Amino acid sequence: MIKRLLFLFAFIFSSVHLSLAQDEIQLADTLVINGETIIMLGDSVIIMRPDKPVYWKTGGNFNLSIQQVSLTNWAAGGASNMALNTGLNLFANFKKDEKIWDNNLTVNFGFNRQSDREFATRKTNDNFIFISKYGRELTPKWYLSTQIDARTQLLGGYRYFRPSGADRDARQRISDILAPAYIQSSTGLNFKKEYKNNDKVSVIASPFTGRFTIVMDDSLSRAGAFGVIPGETIRAEAGVSLSSATDIQILENIRWKADLNLFSSYERLGNMVVNLNSIISMKVNRYITTRIETVLIYDERVMITRSDDTVGPAIQLQNLINFGIGIDF
């Protein structure tokens, strides 16, 4: 009997204590000030702040590869050389409500040095590309967008050759910073889709495009290089354009990024200026990567001196295979 009374007393005491605790919670005062929830419970104050929305996404990639060959008294022949290639890619993308603003900067530079030749150090890679796009949402996948595409290089470029009858190489300067530079402004419909695995596809078609070819070097301008009128520094064209940007995960450690820009002026509608940049990245681990980079350019106004010494428009192609450090941030 005594055990039953003790059990009943303990049950009643626990029920009363739990009821009082619930009453305390129910009696807590709650305030909402500027989106923050403030809960006052007895002598305690609890502040619950909502998560702040994130409108900007920023990041980038840096890669560096170095190759060195040193030969001393090497019976099989050859020459000591060193090659370096580096690249930096930065992006800053904004999205809020129905507005987007995507910015991307790519800078690449490379050279090789071979000690036993005239002009031992020679540039192998030199690109500066800035693309900025602002858009307003029409539907979840379609935007009305304006894009600025600016391209140039950082250092002078040379054509190396050996004059007839000479025993030493010579060089001719054929490009420089802002010689050429290409600035393209386009407005049109933009299809943009992002997938759950971070794959991205964007295509913008513009019937209203302005393209400016800039040659700020006097000697190149006087020669009418890159399609400008001899003596002029800027050539302006109006036309249509199609631009696309692709970022796709092919396999677990293999990613493909490509940017394609097509432009045709109203003056020569159908004759395309082509700019293609493609990068396949194969990650070995967090810091080691292999990159296969391809750049393809075609512009019928740019006269190329070919290997057979003929001059005329031609497809410009650059292929790079790099194995080295790759850091994402």
Side-chain angles (χ1 to χ4, degrees):
M1 183 69 179
I2 295 175
K3 291 182 178 180
R4 292 180 179 179
L5 289 175
L6 290 174
F7 177 78
L8 180 61
F9 176 77
F11 176 76
I12 294 172
F13 178 80
S14 300
S15 300
V16 171
H17 181 74
L18 180 60
S19 176
L20 291 174
Q22 290 177 344
D23 290 342
E24 287 180 355
I25 296 175
Q26 292 172 355
L27 293 175
D29 294 325
T30 303
L31 298 175
V32 178
I33 302 175
N34 292 332
E36 294 184 350
T37 302
I38 301 176
I39 301 175
M40 290 178 289
L41 180 61
D43 295 334
S44 302
V45 178
I46 303 173
I47 301 176
M48 301 178 63
R49 292 186 171 89
D51 293 335
K52 293 183 178 180
V54 177
Y55 300 122
W56 283 97
K57 290 184 179 180
T58 59
N61 171 272
F62 172 77
N63 63 86
L64 173 67
S65 63
I66 300 175
Q67 174 188 330
Q68 181 178 6
V69 177
S70 180
L71 301 176
T72 303
N73 300 325
W74 192 249
S80 300
N81 68 82
M82 182 185 74
L84 177 145
N85 195 74
T86 184
L88 176 67
N89 178 266
L90 302 173
F91 70 86
N93 299 332
F94 174 85
K95 184 174 184 180
K96 181 180 180 182
D97 300 330
E98 298 178 349
K99 299 185 289 290
I100 61 168
W101 184 21
D102 296 341
N103 301 276
N104 190 281
L105 173 66
T106 300
V107 181
N108 294 317
F109 179 74
F111 72 89
N112 66 41
R113 179 177 178 82
Q114 188 170 316
S115 58
D116 65 341
R117 68 184 178 189
E118 194 76 20
F119 311 109
T121 302
R122 303 186 183 187
K123 183 175 68 171
T124 57
N125 191 16
D126 186 3
N127 296 313
F128 180 96
I129 303 172
F130 175 71
I131 300 175
S132 181
K133 179 175 62 180
Y134 176 82
R136 297 296 297 265
E137 184 180 289
L138 301 176
T139 71
K141 297 179 183 178
W142 290 93
Y143 295 80
L144 180 62
S145 298
T146 296
Q147 177 172 285
I148 300 293
D149 184 316
R151 302 169 186 254
T152 187
Q153 60 191 52
L154 302 177
L155 298 175
Y158 297 87
R159 182 175 72 90
Y160 299 92
F161 61 98
R162 178 163 294 186
S164 178
D167 58 355
R168 303 179 66 179
D169 287 343
R171 68 179 186 179
Q172 175 188 9
R173 187 160 56 88
I174 57 175
S175 66
D176 209 336
I177 184 171
L178 297 180
Y182 300 100
I183 300 176
Q184 183 172 300
S185 175
S186 55
T187 299
L189 284 177
N190 178 203
F191 173 81
K192 180 181 174 70
K193 186 173 181 180
E194 297 185 9
Y195 299 87
K196 293 182 179 179
N197 60 353
N198 291 326
D199 287 358
K200 301 174 184 177
V201 176
S202 176
V203 179
I204 177 172
S206 171
F208 311 106
T209 302
R211 187 172 190 263
F212 302 89
T213 303
I214 301 171
V215 180
M216 297 303 295
D217 180 88
D218 291 339
S219 62
L220 294 174
S221 172
R222 287 194 297 270
F226 306 102
V228 300
I229 298 174
E232 300 289 334
T233 57
I234 298 177
R235 178 183 178 85
E237 298 175 274
V240 297
S241 66
L242 177 71
S243 300
S244 69
T246 306
D247 187 350
I248 296 177
Q249 190 80 31
I250 300 176
L251 295 173
E252 182 179 356
N253 293 323
I254 301 178
R255 196 160 193 91
W256 176 51
K257 296 181 180 180
D259 294 299
L260 173 66
N261 186 287
L262 304 176
F263 172 82
S264 180
S265 68
Y266 292 131
E267 182 182 351
R268 298 187 177 185
L269 199 60
N271 294 348
M272 288 289 180
V273 176
V274 181
N275 281 275
L276 171 65
N277 293 268
S278 171
I279 299 175
I280 298 176
S281 301
M282 296 173 282
K283 274 191 169 295
V284 179
N285 56 37
R286 185 178 179 183
Y287 299 110
I288 305 299
T289 184
T290 298
R291 294 164 60 92
I292 302 175
E293 303 181 29
T294 302
V295 179
L296 186 150
I297 300 173
Y298 179 78
D299 187 345
E300 64 175 8
R301 296 185 180 277
V302 178
M303 298 295 108
I304 304 295
T305 302
R306 307 184 184 92
S307 57
D308 59 358
D309 290 331
T310 59
V311 178
I315 294 176
Q316 305 171 54
L317 185 63
Q318 180 188 66
N319 282 307
L320 299 172
I321 300 178
N322 300 318
F323 178 81
I325 297 173
I327 301 175
D328 295 322
F329 52 86

